[in-house]
């Protein structure tokens, strides 16, 4: 062996050891890196866990109490608006009313999926909610998130309340008033789980009269809203309907209070009964008051025939009754200088007119001044001013021949009455009359049918006689006194051509009827004479004590020379009043009339008359 | 001959020194590995530890007459992946409780503090410290 060649052997051995040391160091380094990686992985896991926790967002959406056994347990709805499922873990309930406060803690096991809600949480925990007690409730999830809400007691937490009366002003005699109560749960973090109910009371000084008894009556089944659960920040409406009947000037104050609510936490609304001319809100401007007052201060009532016949030349018995009754329902007299009646119909032909211009009416009322037709379809009274005293009426009535209608029948022609007074000009419309065209050769097309009130029980004979008998109003009837009314239905053409029917017929005839409407407070003492109307005159009384008298013809009204008219006479007892009062009685007609030429042509009966009755209070 | 002897001596010396070096390196590496493993485990556990202050109930009354007075019941919920041990509780930066309260994964535990003064309506800063060194600090109003 040549030992010279073994000189580097120790270096080799040393290198082997160094390699072993290096391998050990390298392993340690690699292991250390792996350890570092495990730390990084733990951080990532923790971050993901935190993100999931942030993605869970629960809130207490609703709190109620159980209404079946076991009673008054919590019934909570929890919503999760996040994306992760929330596992409920605990509920903490603190009795905030107790002194010192008391805390209750229960375990929950419910699960609320993301973007959903779960009801009935808390119904199975042995905790009963006491009345008149405030609680705070907090629910905690396993992820550590929580949601809280307060449970309020109505006896310690006042709520915002507003109430309205609709309408707030009524005419004497009253009517229904709707009371709308708004209760606002203005606590955004407090629930009232038992539902909220409210009571209504009223107060007011009222002196009853025979007409107005001072009654305030709650309408059955009108209450809405009681027991409503009002969510935090929400509002609920409650409704009552009361019927109020009281004299002029009465004010009732309605007060709403929450059941078991805070003392003094109330809402009020006032209802006032006033005559229309005095009715206005406290905040109304002066202009509005004047406008309302003028529109309501002159009353106009109308008398008109229907059908009005057709002109056939001068006729002493063919003048129908047209009239305007002007009533003054105020304490201030006014003068009337002009009254007009105008009729408007679709033009059938240029020569057609319902009132002929230049007509010659008879002046029935007021007896002074002049009635004339200043133009086609305009009937006018003018003359020296006539004073209408306070709370009284004045009649303006004319007897007038029919006009000339040859082209068309006019089934409904609008009648407008206008009075020119020292308080201004007032009109009333909405009534109508009818006209039937000439049947040929100047022959009238229909009857002249007219209903009117008269001062005595007389058959119609001719226009000149009727001129002194027809009336439109009566003044100075004593309170609770008796008054006899005569209402006459007349056919003014000579008998033999036209008639008012009393029986049904093949051409659609139906018996004529007089329909009389009486305002509330009147009594029908007796039906004194029926004059061709059936013996069983029907009197219907409505809930407000207003009445309807219906009398049906039992014989045809054929005209002068035959049976020219029929008069219904009855005695009324007027209401008891404490101040002067004007009542309007209306008489309308139903049924048919016909001609007698060949196959009868049948037309509706449409004449009507209104009558003003002034009642004075006891001296 | 002398060359042979000197070579053998040199190889032997190298072997001895090398063996010593390898032994020392292995020991040193092992110690280092243990230290790193402990530190890593501590950090990983601390990262995995998660809890919330679920409730703090300030109350005057206690069942035992010996300890009546104002105190607090601190409820801690373990929301992490391993059990935790609450070691200290501070209120308004003053330590009011120390001990060892273990809370398992997903569970909550309530710690009753000794009597200390807190004012009704005044915000209290509650600070919970765990054995691993995690902290949770929240404000609560009695």
């Amino acid at each position: 062996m040549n030992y010279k060649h073994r000189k580097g052997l120790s270096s080799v051995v040393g290198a082997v050891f160094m390699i072993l040391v290096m391998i050990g160091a390298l392993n340690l380094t690699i292991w250390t890196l792996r350890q570092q990686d495990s730390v990084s992985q733990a951080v990532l896991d923790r971050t993901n866990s935190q993100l999931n926790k942030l993605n869970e967002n629960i809130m207490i959406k609703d709190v109620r109490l159980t209404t079946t056994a076991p009673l008054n347990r919590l019934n909570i709805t929890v919503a999760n608006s996040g994306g992760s499922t929330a596992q409920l873990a605990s509920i903490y309930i603190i009795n905030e009313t107790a002194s010192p406060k008391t805390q209750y803690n229960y375990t929950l096991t419910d699960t609320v999926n993301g973007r959903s809600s779960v009801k009935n949480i808390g119904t199975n925990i042995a905790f009963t909610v006491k009345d008149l007690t405030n609680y705070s409730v907090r629910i905690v999830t396993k992820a550590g998130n929580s949601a809280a809400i307060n449970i309020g007691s109505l006896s310690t937490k006042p709520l915002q309340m507003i109430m309205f009366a609709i309408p707030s002003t009524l005419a004497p005699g009253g009517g229904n008033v709707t009371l709308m109560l708004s209760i606002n749960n203005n606590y955004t973090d407090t629930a009232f789980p038992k539902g909220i109910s409210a009571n209504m009371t009223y107060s007011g000084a009222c002196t009853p009269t025979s007409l107005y008894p001072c009654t305030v009556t709650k309408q059955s089944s009108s209450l809405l809203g009681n027991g409503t659960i009002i969510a935090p920040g929400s509002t609920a409406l409650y409704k009552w309907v009361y019927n109020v009947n009281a004299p002029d000037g009465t004010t009732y104050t309605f007060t709403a209070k929450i059941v078991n609510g805070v003392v003094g936490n109330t809402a009020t609304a006032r209802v006032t009964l006033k005559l229309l001319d005095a009715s206005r809100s406290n905040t109304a401007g002066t202009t509005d008051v004047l406008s309302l007052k003028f529109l309501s201060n002159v009353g106009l009532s109308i008398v008109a025939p229907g059908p009005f016949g057709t002109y056939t030349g001068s006729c002493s018995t063919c003048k129908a009754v047209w009239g305007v009754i002007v009533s003054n329902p105020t304490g201030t007299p006014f003068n009337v200088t002009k009254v007009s009646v105008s009729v408007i119909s679709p033009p059938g032909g240029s020569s057609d007119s319902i009132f002929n211009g230049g007509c010659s009416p008879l002046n029935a009322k007021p007896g002074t001044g002049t009635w004339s037709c200043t133009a086609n379809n305009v009937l006018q009274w003018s003359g020296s001013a006539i004073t209408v005293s306070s709370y009284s009426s004045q009649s303006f009535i004319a007897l007038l021949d029919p006009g000339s209608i040859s082209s068309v029948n006019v089934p409904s022609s609008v009648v407008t009455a206008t009075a020119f007074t020292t308080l201004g000009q007032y009109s009333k419309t909405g009534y109508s009359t009818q006209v039937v065209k000439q049947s040929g050769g100047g022959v009238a097309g229909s009857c002249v049918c007219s209903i009117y009130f008269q001062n005595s029980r007389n058959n119609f004979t001719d226009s000149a006689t009727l001129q002194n008998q027809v009336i439109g109003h009566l003044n100075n009837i004593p309170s609770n006194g008796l008054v006899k009314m005569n209402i006459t239905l007349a056919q003014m053409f000579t008998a033999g051509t036209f008639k008012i029917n009393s029986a049904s017929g093949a051409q659609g005839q139906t018996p004529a009827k007089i329909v009389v409407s009486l305002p509330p407070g009147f009594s029908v003492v007796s039906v004194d004479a029926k004059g061709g109307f059936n013996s069983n005159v029907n009197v219907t009384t409505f809930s407000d004590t207003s009445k309807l008298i219906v009398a049906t013809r039992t014989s045809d009204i054929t005209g002068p020379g035959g049976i020219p008219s029929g008069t219904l006479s009855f005695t009324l007892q007027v209401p008891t009043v404490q101040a002067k009062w004007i009542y309007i009685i209306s008489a309308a007609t139903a049924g048919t009339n016909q001609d007698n030429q060949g196959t009868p042509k049948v037309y509706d009966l449409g004449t009507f008359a209104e009558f003003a009755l002034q009642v004075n209070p006891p001296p | 001959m002398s060359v042979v002897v000197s070579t053998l001596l040199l190889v032997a010396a190298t072997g001895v020194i090398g063996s010593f070096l390898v032994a020392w390196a292995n020991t040193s590496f092992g110690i280092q590995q243990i230290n790193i493993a402990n530190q890593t485990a501590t950090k990983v556990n601390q990262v995995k530890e998660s809890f919330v202050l679920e409730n703090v109930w300030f109350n005057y009354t206690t069942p035992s007459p010996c300890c009546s007075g104002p105190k607090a019941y601190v409820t801690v919920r373990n929301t992490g992946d391993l059990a935790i041990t609450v070691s200290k509780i501070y209120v308004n930066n003053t330590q009011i409780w120390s001990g060892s309260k273990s809370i398992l994964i997903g569970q909550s535990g309530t710690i009753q503090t000794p009597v200390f003064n807190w004012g009704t309506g005044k915000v209290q800063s509650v600070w919970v410290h765990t054995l691993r060194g995690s902290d949770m600090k929240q404000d609560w109003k009695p």
Side-chain angles (χ1 to χ4, degrees):
Chain A
M1 177 179 286
N2 187 355
Y3 292 103
K4 289 181 180 179
H5 297 137
R6 301 291 185 271
K7 285 182 179 176
L9 190 57
S10 61
S11 298
V12 172
V13 171
V16 168
F17 282 115
M18 284 305 296
I19 289 170
L20 290 175
V21 170
M22 291 297 291
I23 290 172
L26 188 61
N27 282 338
L28 179 61
T29 303
I30 293 171
W31 181 83
T32 302
L33 290 174
R34 284 178 180 166
Q35 289 294 97
Q36 187 62 43
D37 183 57
S38 69
V39 173
S40 300
Q41 188 59 47
V43 170
L44 284 175
D45 291 345
R46 173 67 185 273
T47 303
N48 287 334
S49 173
Q50 292 293 327
L51 286 174
N52 283 335
K53 182 179 172 182
L54 288 174
N55 207 15
E56 172 187 288
N57 186 16
I58 65 165
M59 63 175 293
I60 297 176
K61 200 174 179 183
D62 191 20
V63 179
R64 301 192 178 202
L65 300 182
T66 55
T67 54
T68 56
L71 289 172
N72 295 332
R73 295 277 180 88
L74 283 171
N75 182 353
I76 301 173
T77 300
V78 175
N80 178 10
S81 59
S84 300
T85 297
Q87 296 182 56
L88 307 186
S90 295
I91 181 169
Y92 293 87
I93 306 164
I94 298 173
N95 183 339
E96 302 278 358
T97 303
S99 180
K101 297 177 182 177
T102 313
Q103 178 181 265
Y104 306 88
N105 178 26
Y106 301 92
T107 299
L108 297 177
T109 56
D110 303 273
T111 299
V112 186
N113 291 327
R115 299 180 186 86
S116 65
S117 61
V118 174
K119 298 178 180 177
N120 302 324
I121 292 172
T123 55
N124 56 354
I125 63 175
F127 180 80
T128 301
V129 176
K130 298 176 183 174
D131 286 337
L132 313 179
T133 306
N134 294 324
Y135 295 92
S136 63
V137 175
R138 197 156 54 84
I139 290 177
V140 182
T141 68
K142 278 191 173 177
N145 293 310
S146 63
I149 198 167
N150 296 319
I151 297 177
S153 164
L154 292 170
S155 63
T156 59
K157 290 183 176 293
L159 297 178
Q160 193 176 50
M161 300 166 66
I162 301 171
M163 188 160 71
F164 303 94
I166 308 169
S168 60
T169 303
L170 294 169
N176 283 348
V177 174
T178 300
L179 295 152
M180 298 295 295
L181 171 68
S182 158
I183 300 180
N184 177 28
N185 178 3
N186 45 330
Y187 302 98
T188 54
D189 60 349
T190 302
F192 296 95
K194 263 202 162 181
I196 298 175
S197 298
N199 284 336
M200 181 69 73
T201 58
Y202 62 89
S203 61
C206 180
T207 305
T209 66
S210 63
L211 277 182
Y212 307 122
C214 294
T215 57
V216 180
T217 310
K218 186 168 79 172
Q219 302 300 290
S220 61
S221 307
S222 66
L223 172 59
L224 293 177
N226 259 357
T228 302
I229 293 174
I230 308 176
S234 299
T235 301
L237 287 175
Y238 298 70
K239 187 188 90 169
W240 292 261
V241 177
Y242 278 85
N243 185 274
V244 180
N245 190 353
D248 180 36
T250 305
T251 296
Y252 285 104
T253 300
F254 288 85
T255 302
K257 178 182 181 302
I258 294 174
V259 176
N260 295 326
V262 175
V263 175
N265 186 197
T266 59
T268 60
R270 287 158 59 96
V271 175
T272 302
L273 293 99
K274 282 187 177 181
L275 287 168
L276 186 58
D277 64 338
S279 304
R280 62 187 177 95
S281 73
N282 293 332
T283 56
T286 303
T287 305
D288 290 338
V289 176
L290 284 174
S291 172
L292 180 63
K293 196 174 179 68
F294 270 65
L295 284 172
S296 64
N297 270 3
V298 173
L300 299 178
S301 305
I302 297 175
V303 180
F308 187 31
T310 315
Y311 180 73
T312 56
S314 179
C315 176
S316 63
T317 65
C318 301
K319 296 180 187 298
V321 180
W322 288 88
V324 178
I325 295 92
V326 180
S327 298
N328 179 2
T330 74
T332 305
F334 60 75
N335 292 339
V336 179
T337 55
K338 191 184 294 180
V339 170
S340 73
V341 178
S342 60
V343 289
I344 304 169
S345 69
S350 59
S351 61
D352 285 349
S353 61
I354 298 173
F355 300 158
N356 284 335
C359 68
S360 301
L362 295 179
N363 187 344
K365 296 285 182 291
T368 62
T370 305
W371 281 97
S372 63
C373 294
T374 55
N376 283 349
N377 299 326
V378 178
L379 174 64
Q380 176 182 290
W381 174 89
S382 60
S384 300
I386 291 182
T387 300
V388 183
S389 304
S390 59
Y391 306 110
S392 64
S393 302
Q394 176 62 51
S395 299
F396 296 84
I397 299 175
L399 306 180
L400 180 66
D401 304 287
S404 303
I405 297 289
S406 58
S407 60
V408 292
N409 292 339
V410 181
S412 176
S413 174
V414 176
V415 177
T416 301
T418 304
F420 295 83
T421 76
T422 48
L423 290 182
Q425 171 263 112
Y426 299 92
S427 288
K428 186 176 186 180
T429 188
Y431 296 75
S432 73
T433 187
Q434 312 103 287
V435 178
V436 178
K437 68 178 181 179
Q438 294 175 347
S439 61
V443 178
S446 73
C447 73
V448 175
C449 299
S450 199
I451 192 171
Y452 49 87
F453 290 77
Q454 58 182 2
N455 55 12
S456 58
R457 183 176 172 76
N458 294 304
N459 265 338
F460 173 75
T461 54
D462 57 80
S463 301
T465 306
L466 177 61
Q467 184 180 1
N468 298 316
Q469 297 171 343
V470 65
I471 57 174
H473 73 279
L474 281 176
N475 286 336
N476 300 316
I477 306 299
S479 174
N480 205 33
L482 300 179
V483 60
K484 189 169 183 176
M485 308 297 296
N486 299 296
I487 302 176
T488 299
L489 175 61
Q491 196 293 98
M492 294 164 166
F493 265 129
T494 305
T497 306
F498 306 104
K499 68 178 181 181
I500 296 173
N501 298 117
S502 62
S504 300
Q507 285 74 39
Q509 295 94 330
T510 56
K513 295 178 180 177
I514 291 179
V515 182
V516 182
S517 296
L518 299 177
F522 279 80
S523 299
V524 180
V525 176
S526 61
V527 179
D528 304 319
K530 302 179 179 71
F533 292 93
N534 62 345
S535 58
N536 185 23
V537 173
N538 186 277
V539 180
T540 303
T541 302
F542 298 101
S543 59
D544 63 350
T545 72
S546 62
K547 293 179 173 60
L548 205 63
I549 303 172
V550 179
T552 306
R553 284 300 298 178
T554 55
S555 60
D556 294 342
I557 299 177
T558 55
I563 300 175
S565 63
T567 300
L568 182 68
S569 300
F570 50 88
T571 300
L572 300 177
Q573 184 173 31
V574 304
T576 301
V577 297
Q578 302 302 321
K580 284 186 176 181
W581 206 266
I582 299 173
Y583 294 94
I584 304 298
I585 298 172
S586 69
T589 51
T592 59
N593 63 94
Q594 67 173 66
D595 67 11
N596 278 336
Q597 299 172 19
T599 302
K601 295 185 180 64
V602 177
Y603 306 101
D604 290 321
L605 201 57
T607 178
F608 62 90
E610 292 176 319
F611 190 83
L613 202 62
Q614 182 214 51
V615 180
N616 285 344
Chain B
M1 184 65 184
S2 61
V3 173
V4 171
V5 171
S6 61
T7 301
L8 288 174
L9 288 174
L10 197 56
V11 169
T14 304
V16 169
I17 294 170
S19 298
F20 178 77
L21 180 63
V22 169
W24 173 83
N26 282 342
T27 303
S28 177
F29 289 161
I31 292 170
Q32 199 65 26
Q33 189 174 17
I34 290 169
N35 288 339
I36 292 172
N38 286 338
Q39 289 175 7
T40 303
T42 300
K43 288 181 180 175
V44 168
N45 286 340
Q46 196 170 358
V47 167
K48 287 184 175 179
E49 191 173 77
S50 176
F51 61 96
V52 294
L53 259 175
E54 182 171 295
N55 190 47
V56 179
W57 173 238
F58 297 92
N59 202 358
Y60 280 97
T61 59
T62 63
S64 171
C66 73
C67 306
S68 61
K71 57 176 63 176
Y73 295 83
V74 179
T75 302
V76 177
R77 177 166 292 280
N78 182 356
T79 59
D81 297 330
L82 71 169
I84 63 170
T85 301
V86 178
S87 59
K88 292 185 177 70
I89 295 177
Y90 300 82
V91 175
N92 299 329
N93 295 323
T94 301
Q95 181 181 313
I96 58 166
W97 178 85
S98 66
S100 177
K101 173 71 175 178
S102 294
I103 303 172
L104 299 178
I105 299 170
Q107 303 296 310
S108 64
T110 300
I111 297 163
Q112 177 182 326
T113 70
V115 172
F116 72 102
N117 286 323
W118 49 266
T120 301
K122 294 179 180 175
V123 175
Q124 308 290 316
S125 174
V126 181
W127 174 10
V128 173
H129 183 79
T130 68
L131 208 56
R132 293 190 182 95
S134 300
D135 295 298
M136 174 63 68
K137 196 172 187 179
Q138 285 184 359
D139 290 342
W140 289 77
K141 190 175 179 183

